[in-house]
Amino acid sequence: MRLAAADGLAPGIAETWAELREEQEVAPVHAVRRGAFVWMKGDHLDIGAGGTASVPLLGSDGRPVGALSVLVAAESGEPDDVRQSFLRSVAAWVSAHRERLTGTPPGLGRVAEPERAVLMGELTAALAEALTSADVLAVVAEHILPPLGADGLGIDVLEGGRLCLVGNVGHPPDFARQLGERPLSSHTVEADVLRTRTPTFIESITDFGNRYPDWLHMAIASSKNAWAFLPLLASGRAIGCCVVSFSRPRSFTDAECTVLMALSGLVGQALERARLYDVEHARAQGLQRGLLPRELPSLPAVRAAARYLPAGRGEQVGGDWYDVIALSADRVALVIGDVMGHGIAEAATMGRLRTAIRTLADLDMPPDELLGHLNEIVSDLGEDFYASCLYAVFDPVSRVCSLSVAGHPPPVVVHPDGTVHCPDLAADPPLGAAEPPFDTHDLRLPEGSLLVFCTDGLIEAATGDVDQGLTQLQQALSRAVAETSYFSAADRDDAGRLDDLCDLVLTALLPDGRQIDDDAVLLIAQPRPTAADDVATCDLPGEPRAAGLARAYVREQLASWGLDDLLVTTELLVSELVGNVVRHAKGPIRLRLLRSRSLICEVYDGSLTTPRIRRAAYTDEGGRGLQLVAALSQRWGARYFGDGKCIWTEQDCPPRA
């Protein structure tokens, strides 16, 4: 018996009577079996009823063909003769109008004819918006399962002769883990469906065992009792299988089979499109991951943490980037930028700009000059390419952060007392639209303060306005610093606490995992100034005795620092560097030593000439000084100022006691 109409019952409750078998001990079955009025006391549907009264529906030959049932409240008791007579009259009227009962009511597992067009239209519209394979699964679960009264769904795709599970709904976790990726031959039902390109409908666990006895254990593990295996076809080929399952045994009418096949055709086309998107998206995400830093370096002058959030819709890849770059003299460059637009082309452009910045930063260019060169690179890409960028250099000795801004949101400074402010900086136009020179801004940072950088995708996510977003960012930072007791807690490493701050700020700006329309970056850095006793400076005369004075100063200073192991090499290095200034450059000459994870030796002079390593012949009496410098140091280089230059070297320091 199939339920044809119901009133006053929730679909989930009436589902209990969606299909009744003759052996069940319920009132409708007894009424048909006996052909007479039946009263059964008790709450058979677990809804608080006192009992069920059922009257048989008679066919044209006078034999029972169904039953009309009424659930009675507990206080009413069994219907008296008058009420029984009334029920028989209603049943007689229903029997005379049975042709109006076209099937199960909506929500109880049957799709009536008028609803099919609506169902197809809603499913088509929803699938048109589904981007990924996971989206297709969610749409099918939402739009197909409830009208059919189904409660299980699985979608597999065919890849290289193997079935790969896209996802499942309504199955036990252990069963889902058994599916995973498996050879097509290991699942006979789906193999038959994909080979014949025709659906298979299994109406009960017994039916499953009769047709596929070797796989009955899988049917039992699924906790289902009826299945519709539907081939997913696209571009004239089978690409996978959709399995709709039911907790109770049931049969499938011809009309339902037709509807399911039509639905599977829509799902197949959507899944094929989604798989292409998934492949493209995976490539884009791989490109994005390859272009962004895998992890930020831990440097003596800066600790930093960052978060990159891809856009929630679209290609989910864009041109936002960030970087932390080690410079000479323990200085650090902090970079954040955004190539306007979304897509693989923008991500590739971002990669080119990030590489260019690293190359220019290695030349120790000041921020304004570096952005000038970067502006030329963006302009050469074409008229439609623009990018915003903020390039900052923190000097741990002077405790000054020098930065230039090209169309980018300004940084936010968090002071050790918990106050937060955004410096009022005049930003130049974006790269590609700017006309150098760029302005340089100097921020003197109190010890222990934080520098916070972000892209517009983060601060515009909630309000759509940059100024309001910056205000919200400052408020979120203030709460996060107070909540974590950041400036008073010293029991954890800086990197771990910065990670906590990043997470708290993102949670405040994007509550409930809100998707964003633009990719976004958050970068929080804590500058760490160099201690005064780790810096030593000496002025030298511009004459030959300067080299000897430099060696004496080095011996004295390295002895006080406990770096006797580096004495010989450091004396040789400063002798060569100071001697080169005396012979080839001009004064004034100044020697500076910095003690950090490495020993840094810097020699300043008043010349802008560029030092170059010469290829000395065997018979040459000179020209090997810079070769010696390169051999004795881990790194060496030069940086330039308006009135001179600095030649520097780095040597690894032994660990401090």
Side-chain angles (χ1 to χ4, degrees):
M1 298 173 62
R2 293 178 180 172
L3 183 64
D7 184 65
L9 297 178
I13 295 173
E15 181 71 27
T16 305
W17 278 3
E19 293 191 9
L20 300 177
R21 299 182 300 278
E22 60 179 354
E23 67 271 12
Q24 289 183 255
E25 295 295 324
V26 290
V29 173
H30 284 288
V32 172
R33 187 184 301 158
R34 300 176 188 175
F37 172 85
V38 170
W39 164 257
M40 292 190 69
K41 187 177 181 179
D43 188 11
H44 301 287
L45 294 183
D46 194 24
I47 61 173
T52 305
S54 293
V55 181
L57 302 176
L58 304 179
S60 57
D61 57 358
R63 299 177 61 182
V65 295
L68 171 70
S69 302
V70 177
L71 285 89
V72 180
E75 61 272 13
S76 299
E78 181 180 356
D80 55 20
D81 293 341
V82 175
R83 293 182 177 180
Q84 290 184 29
S85 176
F86 173 72
L87 288 176
R88 291 189 182 94
S89 299
V90 175
W93 184 90
V94 172
S95 298
H97 297 82
R98 280 190 302 110
E99 68 279 359
R100 300 185 185 181
L101 301 178
T102 57
T104 305
L108 296 182
R110 306 288 174 184
V111 181
E113 187 68 37
E115 298 171 339
R116 293 173 188 165
V118 176
L119 175 61
M120 297 287 285
E122 292 178 348
L123 180 64
T124 301
L127 287 175
E129 297 182 0
L131 290 177
T132 67
S133 299
D135 292 340
V136 172
L137 178 75
V139 167
V140 174
E142 179 181 354
H143 291 271
I144 292 183
L145 297 192
L148 294 174
D151 51 15
L153 172 68
I155 294 182
D156 294 299
V157 294
L158 186 61
E159 294 182 355
R162 301 181 68 85
L163 285 171
C164 301
L165 181 66
V166 172
N168 77 96
V169 175
H171 294 99
D174 291 341
F175 175 74
R177 283 193 289 268
Q178 293 179 41
L179 296 178
E181 182 178 336
R182 57 212 184 276
L184 179 61
S185 58
S186 69
H187 202 298
T188 310
V189 190
E190 294 188 348
D192 289 348
V193 169
L194 293 174
R195 183 181 65 256
T196 61
R197 299 188 181 184
T198 57
T200 295
F201 301 96
I202 301 178
E203 301 183 349
S204 66
I205 196 75
T206 303
D207 186 17
F208 196 109
N210 293 335
R211 299 168 66 175
Y212 300 98
D214 293 341
W215 299 102
L216 180 60
H217 65 283
M218 292 293 289
I220 296 174
S222 72
S223 75
K224 305 301 178 185
N225 286 278
W227 298 264
F229 291 86
L230 309 171
L232 299 178
L233 308 177
S235 304
R237 58 189 180 88
I239 65 168
C241 185
C242 176
V243 184
V244 180
S245 53
F246 306 80
S247 292
R248 294 181 178 83
R250 61 162 294 163
S251 58
F252 298 88
T253 66
D254 292 341
E256 288 172 335
C257 294
T258 301
V259 170
L260 284 170
M261 268 307 294
L263 295 177
S264 69
L266 294 175
V267 174
Q269 296 292 336
L271 185 62
E272 176 73 356
R273 184 180 66 252
R275 291 177 67 200
L276 294 175
Y277 171 85
D278 288 340
V279 171
E280 188 72 13
H281 173 63
R283 291 174 180 169
Q285 291 290 72
L287 173 64
Q288 187 88 59
R289 286 191 297 270
L291 295 177
L292 291 175
R294 292 185 178 273
E295 60 181 18
L296 294 178
S298 177
L299 302 173
V302 163
R303 294 289 189 274
R307 294 291 184 272
Y308 171 79
L309 285 76
R313 304 293 293 175
E315 293 178 290
Q316 297 189 356
V317 63
D320 288 21
W321 88 92
Y322 60 93
D323 214 342
V324 177
I325 307 171
L327 304 177
S328 63
D330 265 359
R331 296 172 308 123
V332 179
L334 301 167
V335 191
I336 189 167
D338 181 5
V339 176
M340 297 182 184
H342 297 89
I344 293 181
E346 284 72 15
T349 300
M350 174 268 285
R352 297 169 66 180
L353 296 184
R354 179 170 176 252
T355 301
I357 286 181
R358 280 192 157 265
T359 302
L360 296 172
D362 196 48
L363 299 175
D364 268 320
M365 289 186 177
D368 57 336
E369 185 178 345
L370 185 143
L371 287 190
H373 287 287
L374 204 63
N375 183 68
E376 295 178 2
I377 295 174
V378 175
S379 299
D380 290 342
L381 296 176
E383 296 181 355
D384 296 333
F385 282 91
Y386 301 97
S388 66
C389 184
L390 187 156
Y391 183 84
V393 175
F394 173 69
D395 187 337
V397 176
S398 66
R399 304 185 181 185
V400 172
C401 181
S402 301
L403 56 95
S404 293
V405 185
H408 201 84
V412 175
V413 180
V414 185
H415 293 269
D417 60 0
T419 59
V420 182
H421 86 284
C422 183
D424 186 14
L425 306 179
D428 288 292
L431 302 174
E435 294 183 1
F438 290 87
D439 292 331
T440 300
H441 311 276
D442 291 334
L443 302 178
R444 187 169 294 277
L445 302 174
E447 185 173 355
S449 57
L450 300 177
L451 269 175
V452 181
F453 307 89
C454 67
T455 56
D456 55 6
L458 180 65
I459 56 179
E460 292 180 349
T463 64
D465 181 80
V466 172
D467 294 333
Q468 294 182 23
L470 280 174
T471 300
Q472 288 189 350
L473 175 61
Q474 295 177 61
Q475 295 170 350
L477 284 167
S478 181
R479 290 193 298 268
V481 167
E483 182 177 339
T484 59
S485 301
Y486 184 85
F487 293 109
S488 59
D491 57 337
R492 290 183 56 192
D493 64 286
D494 291 342
R497 291 189 292 149
L498 288 174
D499 281 327
D500 293 342
L501 279 184
C502 286
D503 294 335
L504 287 173
V505 171
L506 292 183
T507 301
L509 296 179
L510 304 171
D512 304 323
R514 179 189 306 160
Q515 287 189 335
I516 55 178
D517 297 327
D518 191 8
D519 48 338
V521 167
L522 174 66
L523 173 64
I524 302 180
Q526 181 169 30
R528 297 151 60 97
T530 301
D533 58 358
D534 286 334
V535 182
T537 304
C538 173
D539 292 323
L540 299 171
E543 52 189 62
R545 66 188 182 94
L549 295 174
R551 288 193 297 271
Y553 185 78
V554 165
R555 284 193 297 270
E556 179 183 354
Q557 189 60 51
L558 265 57
S560 66
W561 282 345
L563 298 178
D564 296 332
D565 292 344
L566 299 180
L567 179 58
V568 175
T569 54
T570 307
E571 279 189 301
L572 188 52
L573 286 172
V574 297
S575 291
E576 288 295 333
L577 296 180
V578 173
N580 281 342
V581 173
V582 173
R583 287 192 297 269
H584 306 297
K586 63 180 181 179
I589 307 174
R590 182 161 55 95
L591 170 65
R592 187 172 77 165
L593 303 177
L594 301 177
R595 180 179 61 166
S596 179
R597 287 191 300 196
S598 60
L599 176 62
I600 302 168
C601 301
E602 297 179 326
V603 175
Y604 295 80
D605 64 59
S607 171
L608 294 175
T609 56
T610 302
R612 299 183 184 279
I613 296 180
R614 291 174 51 190
R615 183 178 295 278
Y618 289 111
T619 58
D620 289 345
E621 296 182 357
R624 298 179 178 86
L626 290 181
Q627 292 183 15
L628 190 61
V629 169
L632 294 176
S633 58
Q634 295 298 118
R635 291 200 310 158
W636 76 280
R639 61 180 185 272
Y640 298 86
F641 314 97
D643 57 352
K645 67 177 180 296
C646 166
I647 309 297
W648 54 268
T649 66
E650 289 185 8
Q651 305 171 77
D652 287 340
C653 280
R656 298 192 190 185

